[in-house]
Amino acid sequence: MKIIKTSILALFFLLPFVVADLRVNFYTATCPRAESIIRQLVQKRFATDSSITGALLRMHFHDCFVRGCDASILIDSTKNKSSEKSAGPNLTVRGYELIDEIKKNLEAACPSTVSCADIVTLATRDSVVLAGGPNYAAPTGRRDGLVSNPDDVNLPGPSFSVSQALRSFTAKGMTLNDMVTLLGAHTVGFAHCNFFQDRLSNFQGSGSPDPSMDPALVSKLSTLCAASNNPTTFLDQNTSSTFDNQFYNQILFKRGVLQIDQELASDTSTAGIVSGFASNGVRFSQSFASAMLKMGSLHVLVGNAGEIRKNCRAFNPAKSKN
């Protein structure tokens, strides 16, 4: 029965449609192998590193929630100009080398055609599918941005309350349901100890661990974080490498690693959504696909706006006016 449901779900999200000025199969005429090239390279990476799904989801979110989905997060800082990569929340974002590899292969097949913004979007979708998540048709046609400024990076933090996080989401046109859904990406996520260590011993200056965290998890994470190299742990302590709804079940059992994750289960505005997703994986998958499509269309550049970068890490050289 589960296989039948998954097949129906995949078929539902493969139906073509248009979001804003983006469209499914945008590159059919100009670079027909674009999506298959991206998919093959993501499959190759996933085969040796399944954590790439969480890395790409984080990269995609951190890109779209700043200036829109314009690949501004991919720009390297130079000695004269810092980029979004140098902002605190982005220092532990990873997966850039996979985007570089994909871009190199696409440039060989179809020079100056496929945007870095679309590469991030499609690679993220493909990695979610490989981890067991929903397969949805992702509209393309984004252009790459011309600005990358660390001062623009203002993302909801791991210690935010639900109301604080919601303000960040509603400012982008996202709903409460979208927020709870997208945080469900933590089912394949991971975090460094510095993002949650305050919950383990001196929560909010109390001198004690966060009472909303399962004591067994406190003990486990305290041992892990005693190391000096700021190690990481999975945010879903059950099915860590599988994209499913178990993250919601974990936070119902007080096993949320990040404060914002755990508060989703206790805040009256979100507890019902959490319970619904915890008991119905298909509902979560449907909601996740919809929320990803919505996020992927935030403030996109289309038409002649922006550019198609030849190197995702750098803006194209200015064209001579002579």
Side-chain angles (χ1 to χ4, degrees):
M1 180 62 71
K2 183 176 181 181
I3 294 175
I4 295 174
K5 285 183 178 180
T6 303
S7 300
I8 293 172
L9 184 66
L11 179 63
F12 177 80
F13 289 119
L14 284 168
L15 296 176
F17 57 92
V18 176
V19 176
D21 293 312
L22 307 175
R23 69 175 186 271
V24 173
N25 298 323
F26 179 85
Y27 297 107
T28 297
T30 57
C31 192
R33 294 184 54 237
E35 295 204 21
S36 64
I37 289 172
I38 294 171
R39 184 167 53 252
Q40 288 165 10
L41 290 171
V42 173
Q43 287 174 335
K44 176 185 172 186
R45 176 62 179 271
F46 184 87
T48 59
D49 177 18
S50 61
S51 73
I52 193 63
T53 303
L56 289 174
L57 280 162
R58 187 164 182 243
M59 178 191 292
H60 190 32
F61 176 78
H62 282 221
D63 184 41
C64 294
F65 255 60
V66 177
R67 300 185 60 86
C69 308
D70 66 350
S72 53
I73 194 173
L74 302 180
I75 296 294
D76 282 342
S77 295
T78 66
K79 63 180 181 180
N80 297 319
K81 183 76 169 68
S82 295
S83 71
E84 289 178 25
K85 276 185 182 177
S86 67
N90 291 336
L91 294 178
T92 52
V93 171
R94 66 182 187 89
Y96 298 116
E97 71 291 337
L98 174 58
I99 303 302
D100 293 338
E101 183 182 9
I102 293 170
K103 183 61 172 174
K104 179 181 178 181
N105 280 264
L106 287 172
E107 284 298 303
C110 318
S112 301
T113 302
V114 182
S115 71
C116 300
D118 277 342
I119 291 172
V120 174
T121 299
L122 292 171
T124 301
R125 187 274 310 274
D126 291 342
S127 72
V128 167
V129 174
L130 288 168
N135 192 354
Y136 51 94
T140 43
R142 298 165 188 78
R143 306 265 293 178
D144 298 323
L146 301 172
V147 177
S148 183
N149 186 341
D151 295 333
D152 292 336
V153 179
N154 183 22
L155 297 163
S159 297
F160 271 29
S161 66
V162 168
S163 59
Q164 287 175 317
L166 182 59
R167 282 195 290 273
S168 296
F169 277 80
T170 54
K172 300 296 182 182
M174 308 291 281
T175 67
L176 181 69
N177 191 81
D178 293 331
M179 182 185 80
V180 179
T181 299
L182 290 174
L183 285 172
H186 287 173
T187 187
V188 288
F190 45 88
H192 288 268
C193 286
N194 63 294
F195 286 109
F196 58 84
Q197 199 148 16
D198 62 309
R199 300 187 67 207
L200 305 180
S201 59
N202 189 27
F203 182 62
Q204 297 180 345
S206 66
S208 302
D210 184 345
S212 69
M213 182 183 283
D214 173 22
L217 182 59
V218 171
S219 178
K220 175 183 176 182
L221 296 179
S222 295
T223 300
L224 171 74
C225 295
S228 59
N229 60 342
N230 194 25
T232 61
T233 191
F234 287 107
L235 298 178
D236 177 348
Q237 294 283 308
N238 187 14
T239 55
S240 307
S241 299
T242 302
F243 194 97
D244 56 21
N245 65 333
Q246 287 306 303
F247 164 79
Y248 298 103
N249 284 291
Q250 288 291 292
I251 61 177
L252 287 176
F253 291 128
K254 302 176 69 173
R255 293 180 62 79
V257 174
L258 300 180
Q259 184 179 339
I260 179 56
D261 291 350
Q262 192 55 58
E263 291 201 8
L264 292 178
S266 58
D267 191 283
T268 55
S269 68
T270 52
I273 303 173
V274 168
S275 296
F277 288 158
S279 63
N280 191 327
V282 172
R283 181 192 298 177
F284 167 57
S285 290
Q286 292 173 336
S287 187
F288 187 81
S290 297
M292 287 292 285
L293 291 171
K294 188 174 180 179
M295 185 181 77
S297 66
L298 290 176
H299 309 296
V300 293
L301 301 173
V302 295
N304 294 318
E307 65 182 11
I308 303 296
R309 287 183 215 143
K310 293 189 71 66
N311 173 4
C312 290
R313 292 176 178 264
F315 302 120
N316 291 341
K319 294 181 180 179
S320 172
K321 295 183 179 180
N322 296 332

